[in-house]
Amino acid sequence: MSTTTDAPGSYGLPVAQDRSTTSSDDLAVRTEGLTKVYSGHTVVDGVALALPAGSVSGFVGPNGAGKTTTIRMLLGLVRPTSGSGSVLGEPLSHPAHYLPRVGAMIEGPAFTPALSGRDNLLVLARAGRLPTSRVPHVLERVGLGDRGGDPFRSFSLGMKQRLGIAAALLPQPKLLVLDEPTNGLDPAGIAQMRELIASFRDEGMTVFVSSHLLSEVEQVADHLVMIRGGGLVFQGPVEDLVRSHPPRLVLRPEQSGDVSLVDDIVAALDWPSTVTADGEVVVELALSSSDDDAYLRAAEVNRRAHAAGVVLTRLEVRRPTLEEAFFELTGTGSGDVR
């Protein structure tokens, strides 16, 4: 069962916590009160993470929200001002105990341009005292098996991102942390990256992926963490966020002159509605409404419209998309939340 609480920095917005049915053993990452203050400015404010093992957890929020600082604290690159937690069952205060089982790509991959992709990975493997025999495998794993001998400077942006993920896979991680892996990619590259991330989950790996593109997160993530102004806005399964907003009926008559008549039909049923600028009537149902109830209401509207001689070319039951739910929570208004 999920409960809803207000967390520090959450602007009074609902923060879903899923801990009553999720034991610590089921969590790849758990934090309590994770906070980072720089020169009196709170960058991360009391964040309590609970990332399910074996899932893809999307980490979203505008630039400057505290995503990268949070990731750096999890990776032992930045020491928290306060708070506690664990990663892969080991205390956050002792990153050396869990980092050998963590792979990460943050702020884009950095490689030597003149070296081949393969040689760059060999250098990293030797520096990290990792088996060099892993290099051919990880190149194949990210789709660069036939390009590993090419110099890094000849790689496209998508290939560079995939080589960065290959480097993160060298230690055979249980937890893979990716910071904006689709940044700058074209639509084809984004689709390939999405498939790659989903395949890691299918192999039992936990993936924590940050992004400012909500549409991409929605298509790959099972679990969602939303952060804004350093505070947690929402945490939980993606469908929980969408279902925390009421379903709507969207009605469009064939004849634009019938819009007011459709609105009157809805008003006679005592259902609140709005008429959009493009000639649709949108009925917002109660939050407690089930999809079955919404369909019954749609059928009732359809019967009454037919009786009034109105043909509906659109009769749809829909819930907000992830983007729309995010905007309603935070007041932002773009699919790019930077």
Side-chain angles (χ1 to χ4, degrees):
M1 177 183 294
S2 296
T3 58
T4 302
T5 60
D6 287 342
S10 67
Y11 300 91
L13 298 172
V15 180
Q17 302 292 346
D18 223 6
R19 303 196 179 177
S20 57
T21 58
T22 305
S23 70
S24 296
D25 292 340
D26 296 325
L27 300 177
V29 176
R30 178 192 60 80
T31 67
E32 295 287 350
L34 191 64
T35 300
K36 184 61 183 177
V37 179
Y38 287 112
S39 302
H41 176 60
T42 301
V43 179
V44 177
D45 188 4
V47 169
L49 296 175
L51 307 187
S55 69
V56 175
S57 290
F59 193 24
V60 298
N63 279 352
K67 298 194 304 293
T68 298
T69 300
T70 299
I71 288 173
R72 286 179 170 274
M73 286 191 283
L74 296 179
L75 296 177
L77 300 174
V78 172
R79 181 175 297 177
T81 303
S82 61
S84 62
S86 63
V87 176
L88 299 177
E90 299 290 346
L92 189 64
S93 56
H94 293 84
H97 292 178
Y98 59 79
L99 285 179
R101 294 178 289 150
V102 176
M105 182 181 74
I106 58 174
E107 296 187 341
F111 296 104
T112 302
L115 293 181
S116 68
R118 182 181 301 108
D119 286 344
N120 268 293
L121 293 184
L122 286 169
V123 169
L124 291 174
R126 290 176 183 131
R129 298 181 180 179
L130 300 170
T132 56
S133 59
R134 289 278 299 160
V135 170
H137 171 74
V138 298
L139 282 171
E140 287 289 344
R141 186 66 188 80
V142 300
L144 293 176
D146 59 346
R147 300 295 301 271
D150 296 351
F152 178 73
R153 63 173 168 240
S154 70
F155 282 14
S156 67
L157 180 57
M159 292 170 63
K160 290 176 180 177
Q161 293 289 80
R162 281 186 279 157
L163 188 65
I165 294 178
L169 293 175
L170 284 171
Q172 292 185 274
K174 296 294 184 183
L175 171 64
L176 183 63
V177 181
L178 304 176
D179 189 15
E180 301 282 1
T182 61
N183 201 22
L185 299 186
D186 61 19
I190 289 174
Q192 291 170 355
M193 186 65 68
R194 188 167 60 232
E195 292 173 2
L196 189 60
I197 291 170
S199 71
F200 296 144
R201 172 191 53 208
D202 295 341
E203 294 173 2
M205 198 180 304
T206 302
V207 185
F208 190 37
V209 54
S210 77
S211 180
H212 57 267
L213 296 174
L214 291 169
S215 58
E216 291 310 313
V217 170
E218 184 172 23
Q219 293 185 62
V220 75
D222 322 290
H223 182 266
L224 188 66
V225 178
M226 286 184 171
I227 191 172
R228 184 173 178 82
L232 204 59
V233 173
F234 174 86
Q235 179 172 229
V238 172
E239 60 269 22
D240 281 5
L241 176 61
V242 174
R243 290 189 175 276
S244 69
H245 293 75
R248 299 183 176 108
L249 295 182
V250 183
L251 315 167
R252 179 193 288 271
E254 181 180 35
Q255 303 297 326
S256 60
D258 289 336
V259 172
S260 59
L261 181 55
V262 172
D263 195 36
D264 289 342
I265 291 171
V266 171
L269 291 166
D270 200 24
W271 299 344
S273 65
T274 57
V275 177
T276 67
D278 56 352
E280 292 182 337
V281 178
V282 178
V283 183
E284 186 156 324
L285 305 179
L287 181 59
S288 59
S289 299
S290 66
D291 286 345
D292 286 344
D293 178 56
Y295 295 139
L296 289 174
R297 289 172 182 253
E300 180 63 23
V301 170
N302 194 33
R303 278 192 293 270
R304 296 195 180 204
H306 178 72
V310 175
V311 175
L312 297 174
T313 58
R314 184 178 186 188
L315 177 56
E316 179 186 2
V317 176
R318 63 181 296 268
R319 290 185 183 270
T321 64
L322 178 60
E323 289 185 3
E324 290 168 339
F326 180 82
F327 303 152
E328 288 184 25
L329 282 178
T330 64
T332 56
S334 168
D336 181 337
V337 297
R338 287 180 290 183

